[in-house]
Amino acid sequence: MCRPPRHPARRFAHGEEIPVEGSHDLEIFFDEILSTPTTEELLVGLYEKALPALKAALERHLNETNMLADQPSVRLCRFALIEIDDMLEFGIRSVASLVDDSQRENSRNWISLLEDCLAAAGDISGAQEPSPRQIKRQHSAVPYQYDRIPRRDERFPDPYNMGVNAEVFLYDEKFRPEPKTVMMFYKRLREVDVPEMMASIITETSDKPWDYYRDMTRQLWDEARHAMMGEAGFVSLGIDWPRRVMVNFTWSLALNTQLKPIERHAVLYFIEQGLMPKNGKRFEWEVGLASHNPLSALFQDYDWADEVLHARIGRDWYLKEFKNPQEAIRYGDECWSRVLMNWENWRQKGLTQHRNWWPDVYCDACKHWGVEPDAQVLAYNTTYQTVRADLKGLTGSA
Ligand SMILES: [Fe+2]
Ligand SMILES: [Fe+2]
């Protein structure tokens, strides 16, 4: 979730910034939503309070403004409303599936607090007459603490499993392209760890220009899309991925808990630069084409295009911190080398057995294709115990 601006309601007259009465109440409004300990309240706060208030403010502006004098803002508001309606549609469906009446009843006082904040602020735009209320912080009475440890739901039952090395398989010439597309769907789906890691960089990096947060959020959104491409790929093959494919979170967990934000960005930059040469994203796209799986080829085409943009974002926001590109790359490599992956330790602690789930998934795909499994592919059994995801000179996922 994006952090709200420190002073949410300010007006600018001829470039001069004037604090607006009620901005403190809006600050509490967003702090409360940020600090809520439950998913249910987070959904209600965002999708039943914050976004509808923003939508109403944009509509009000459209109604009240002079269409000629303020045409650029009118145009902007209209486009923003399209996206806000998309977000609301997602939110309404999420609330309907996750929030029941008893949870709503438990949160009654808190929901009233949010309404009081908006009323006291004269609404989100400050355009209404403020109605003074007694505002007392609840969840945000203690300042919000960002939790770097990724959380996943029941679709990820074995999050420490590093039993199937996707890259060794993908770059082994003895295997045909068809099973490689299945492994690439896994590589895409596993990318859910990139938004988990990027969210921590964005949250813990303050005082950058607005464009930094816009670019980094665009990339985070792309990485979430890449993970969904993997999910769609498995669904297209009739594979029940939450039961069959063990998607780990070890990369985001390790980077978030062991490295500083700039060091995490360094690792991301190092990986993404490694995706540009011929054996990176181009190779994955060529495998997709050669496999005659149109969905895989399409996804890899757009995945590659997105990575070109990400490499540019890295040049704009990470590279500038260094004297030269070589130094920036070397630092990224060094930061990644410092990250400890406790492969054996996790097994000893009983967190995972690093079970080889590949043969089951491959058999499901063969059933879908109506072909007999290839014995060599079926026997694939290389883990991440000794080989880093980028194979030192091959590639990682981002
Ligand atoms: Fe990606
Ligand atoms: Fe990327």
Side-chain angles (χ1 to χ4, degrees):
M1 192 177 132
C2 281
R3 227 170 333 164
R6 209 166 290 155
H7 302 287
R10 280 173 183 264
R11 284 191 183 130
F12 296 86
H14 306 290
E16 195 187 338
E17 197 180 342
I18 307 162
V20 170
E21 209 186 321
S23 63
H24 182 63
D25 302 306
L26 277 187
E27 191 172 335
I28 297 175
F29 175 81
F30 285 110
D31 284 351
E32 284 291 321
I33 296 174
L34 185 66
S35 306
T36 175
T38 71
T39 301
E40 292 81 8
E41 283 189 350
L42 180 69
L43 291 172
V44 169
L46 279 177
Y47 296 112
E48 291 191 358
K49 299 299 165 198
L51 277 170
L54 181 59
K55 179 176 172 168
L58 289 167
E59 286 172 339
R60 184 186 170 122
H61 186 90
L62 287 178
N63 283 333
E64 292 179 353
T65 198
N66 182 301
M67 302 293 270
L68 176 60
D70 197 15
Q71 224 288 319
S73 306
V74 168
R75 182 175 177 273
L76 213 97
C77 290
R78 290 176 65 213
F79 284 121
L81 280 168
I82 293 173
E83 299 203 323
I84 286 170
D85 279 337
D86 282 350
M87 292 181 218
L88 280 170
E89 194 193 320
F90 170 82
I92 287 163
R93 286 164 64 176
S94 304
V95 169
S97 1
L98 294 170
V99 185
D100 61 28
D101 288 345
S102 73
Q103 285 156 339
R104 207 177 274 278
E105 184 53 32
N106 290 341
S107 301
R108 202 148 54 101
N109 289 343
W110 184 74
I111 296 169
S112 299
L113 169 64
L114 295 186
E115 289 162 356
D116 286 348
C117 289
L118 287 178
D123 226 336
I124 210 160
S125 62
Q128 302 274 31
E129 192 56 43
S131 108
R133 303 285 164 100
Q134 196 64 25
I135 306 286
K136 195 161 175 265
R137 287 180 184 268
Q138 288 185 25
H139 300 319
S140 67
V142 178
Y144 172 71
Q145 276 286 323
Y146 176 69
D147 182 357
R148 296 187 190 97
I149 297 175
R151 297 284 155 88
R152 299 216 183 143
D153 64 21
E154 62 281 357
R155 291 171 299 173
F156 303 88
D158 194 1
Y160 291 87
N161 185 318
M162 294 184 77
V164 179
N165 191 313
E167 290 75 21
V168 168
F169 184 82
L170 190 59
Y171 289 97
D172 190 330
E173 287 176 6
K174 75 171 175 284
F175 298 128
R176 291 192 45 78
E178 291 80 5
K180 287 183 179 179
T181 59
V182 182
M183 200 59 101
M184 288 199 299
F185 288 146
Y186 166 59
K187 270 172 68 74
R188 295 288 74 79
L189 179 50
R190 193 184 53 189
E191 280 192 60
V192 69
D193 60 7
V194 191
E196 285 168 343
M197 192 283 282
M198 287 198 71
S200 75
I201 301 179
I202 296 169
T203 302
E204 298 187 316
T205 304
S206 49
D207 301 326
K208 289 277 188 189
W210 177 253
D211 290 355
Y212 169 89
Y213 299 101
R214 185 202 55 202
D215 286 354
M216 292 289 279
T217 306
R218 157 71 206 251
Q219 182 173 341
L220 182 150
W221 171 48
D222 291 340
E223 307 296 3
R225 281 173 41 245
H226 298 166
M228 284 189 269
M229 289 175 187
E231 177 177 16
F234 281 122
V235 172
S236 76
L237 296 175
I239 293 171
D240 181 4
W241 68 267
R243 254 180 4 100
R244 297 299 230 186
V245 184
M246 298 302 116
V247 185
N248 60 58
F249 71 168
T250 48
W251 186 76
S252 51
L253 177 71
L255 265 67
N256 284 10
T257 54
Q258 297 176 32
L259 297 182
K260 293 197 286 247
I262 185 68
E263 295 171 335
R264 289 173 222 149
H265 203 163
V267 174
L268 185 67
Y269 181 79
F270 174 76
I271 291 174
E272 300 210 305
Q273 293 304 307
L275 298 175
M276 288 305 107
K278 274 196 167 173
N279 65 346
K281 287 293 163 190
R282 173 190 283 273
F283 177 79
E284 293 190 344
W285 174 63
E286 285 170 349
V287 170
L289 283 180
S291 72
H292 303 293
N293 179 328
L295 196 61
S296 175
L298 179 76
F299 284 165
Q300 291 311 141
D301 192 2
Y302 281 78
D303 181 60
W304 182 13
D306 287 338
E307 291 316 327
V308 175
L309 174 68
H310 301 171
R312 200 270 291 156
I313 292 172
R315 285 197 297 277
D316 286 352
W317 295 113
Y318 166 76
L319 198 62
K320 280 184 193 153
E321 313 269 328
F322 295 86
K323 271 189 268 153
N324 57 57
Q326 293 75 22
E327 174 61 16
I329 289 276
R330 192 205 54 74
Y331 184 64
D333 193 12
E334 183 227 297
C335 289
W336 199 3
S337 302
R338 263 197 282 134
V339 174
L340 291 174
M341 287 288 182
N342 292 318
W343 203 93
E344 191 50 46
N345 200 18
W346 291 327
R347 183 151 71 174
Q348 280 170 9
K349 279 187 177 165
L351 290 169
T352 184
Q353 292 308 309
H354 297 295
R355 181 175 68 80
N356 180 9
W357 45 265
W358 168 253
D360 290 344
V361 172
Y362 174 56
C363 283
D364 283 358
C366 289
K367 223 177 278 169
H368 180 84
W369 292 324
V371 301
E372 279 301 309
D374 173 297
Q376 266 191 323
V377 174
L378 202 58
Y380 182 68
N381 191 19
T382 303
T383 75
Y384 286 102
Q385 184 170 17
T386 52
V387 192
R388 196 169 78 171
D390 72 339
L391 311 181
K392 267 277 186 194
L394 268 182
T395 186
S397 297

